[in-house]
Amino acid sequence: MALRNILKENEPVLREKCFEVTLFNERLGVTLDDMIETMFAADGVGLAAPQVGIPKRMCVVSVDGKTIYELINPVITKTAGTQKGIEGCLSIPGKHGMVERPKTVWVEAKDRYGNTKEYKVSDLTAVAFCHEIDHLDGVLYVDKVIGDLKE
Ligand code: CO
């Protein structure tokens, strides 16, 4: 495994609509393992492929440091409720802001082997899923901040 360089806000790849993953091969697994290692090393709760320069629809999330979600070609199929919370992003260091997100989300995604999985997550994990899935469409949380972005 290897740490990947986390790209910062001004990198164009962070504003791209990412491509679907079509090849579920060994290389994909290596990339995902690197993303997980990079996320933990940076003390993040999520990391999307474009943040490490890969314009593909995949991200990793781990809010508690134990349960690790790998979401490949994720689609939010349903949401319920709303919550407001403070978000930050590894690509926008030193800043944070208030964002409204669904309280619960249902997500369909592939795993690294190409199997279809369904997830229902709430609270912080739902925030992380939404934040990371937004990255796959070139959307950053700063686009959605309520009020001011704080330093
Ligand atoms: Co982010």
Side-chain angles (χ1 to χ4, degrees):
M1 294 204 285
L3 290 180
R4 304 287 181 113
N5 184 36
I6 299 176
L7 302 180
K8 300 304 185 287
E9 202 175 0
N10 55 349
E11 292 280 347
V13 67
L14 289 174
R15 289 304 194 172
E16 285 176 20
K17 186 168 170 62
C18 296
F19 299 98
E20 294 263 315
V21 173
T22 54
L23 274 178
F24 294 84
N25 55 15
E26 205 172 316
R27 191 183 165 87
L28 176 68
V30 170
T31 302
L32 286 163
D33 286 340
D34 286 354
M35 286 172 60
I36 291 164
E37 193 182 357
T38 302
M39 169 181 69
F40 285 137
D43 273 329
V45 298
L47 187 71
Q51 292 182 276
V52 292
I54 302 168
K56 289 193 179 159
R57 304 189 75 79
M58 57 188 192
C59 57
V60 295
V61 169
S62 183
V63 165
D64 64 4
K66 291 180 208 145
T67 308
I68 300 168
Y69 297 94
E70 298 178 350
L71 306 176
I72 301 164
N73 301 336
V75 176
I76 296 172
T77 56
K78 187 179 160 190
T79 69
T82 59
Q83 57 178 327
K84 279 184 192 163
I86 301 292
E87 292 185 31
C89 180
L90 293 176
S91 294
I92 310 169
K95 294 188 179 164
H96 56 272
M98 180 80 75
V99 182
E100 184 172 294
R101 300 286 191 183
K103 175 88 171 152
T104 302
V105 294
W106 286 255
V107 171
E108 192 175 291
K110 300 284 189 192
D111 68 9
R112 65 171 67 192
Y113 308 107
N115 302 307
T116 301
K117 303 275 184 181
E118 287 188 279
Y119 304 97
K120 178 195 174 191
V121 294
S122 298
D123 305 316
L124 282 178
T125 306
V127 171
F129 272 39
C130 292
H131 178 120
E132 300 312 327
I133 291 170
D134 270 354
H135 270 297
L136 310 183
D137 290 313
V139 174
L140 302 178
Y141 84 93
V142 292
D143 305 342
K144 298 184 167 181
V145 159
I146 301 163
D148 294 328
L149 194 62
K150 305 222 166 42
E151 301 275 342

